[in-house]
Amino acid sequence: SANTLSYSDISNVIGLKITAKPNPAKSWVAFDFTLPADVSSAIIKIADASGSIVESLIVNGQQGQKLFDTRNLSPGAYTYTIEIPGYYQTGKLIITK
């Protein structure tokens, strides 16, 4: 039904957010993140199209930005996921050359 919350809706409600820019990314991407009030660290995982994790980044603080060098990644579509205990938020990232 229309009022069913998805997993990412719930993550938004508790204050877990992540964005990536520029997207598409060429040589680097900046992940801007916000964590819930009672959480001080999280993991950002970047996965390729087959679902293999190509990088895991630890972030600390209520909110901030994590820069990631994308020059070693092949061009294509990736997903990024920020994870805290019990919740996650995900998005798509395109790498170009």
Side-chain angles (χ1 to χ4, degrees), residues 33 35-42 59-62:
F33 65 90
L35 304 182
D38 57 344
V39 177
S40 59
S41 69
V59 295
N60 294 293
Q62 211 59 64

Side-chain angles (χ1 to χ4, degrees), residues 1-10 13:
S1 69
N3 59 6
T4 302
L5 285 176
S6 74
Y7 205 85
S8 64
D9 289 334
I10 294 168
V13 168

Side-chain angles (χ1 to χ4, degrees), residues 10-97:
I10 294 168
S11 295
N12 272 328
V13 168
I14 66 162
L16 179 63
K17 296 185 176 74
I18 186 168
T19 59
K21 61 189 183 222
N23 191 0
K26 196 166 186 172
S27 52
W28 60 273
V29 63
F31 294 106
D32 288 303
F33 65 90
T34 305
L35 304 182
D38 57 344
V39 177
S40 59
S41 69
I43 299 175
I44 298 172
K45 293 180 179 172
I46 301 161
D48 64 17
S50 68
S52 299
I53 304 295
V54 295
E55 189 67 54
S56 293
L57 310 167
I58 294 175
V59 295
N60 294 293
Q62 211 59 64
Q63 63 185 141
Q65 185 177 79
K66 185 75 168 183
L67 293 176
F68 174 60
D69 185 335
T70 60
R71 289 173 295 187
N72 293 329
L73 296 182
S74 302
Y78 293 79
T79 57
Y80 58 90
T81 305
I82 189 165
E83 297 180 0
I84 59 171
Y87 298 95
Y88 66 91
Q89 187 71 275
T90 190
K92 292 215 178 312
L93 174 64
I94 304 298
I95 304 294
T96 61
K97 288 295 176 224

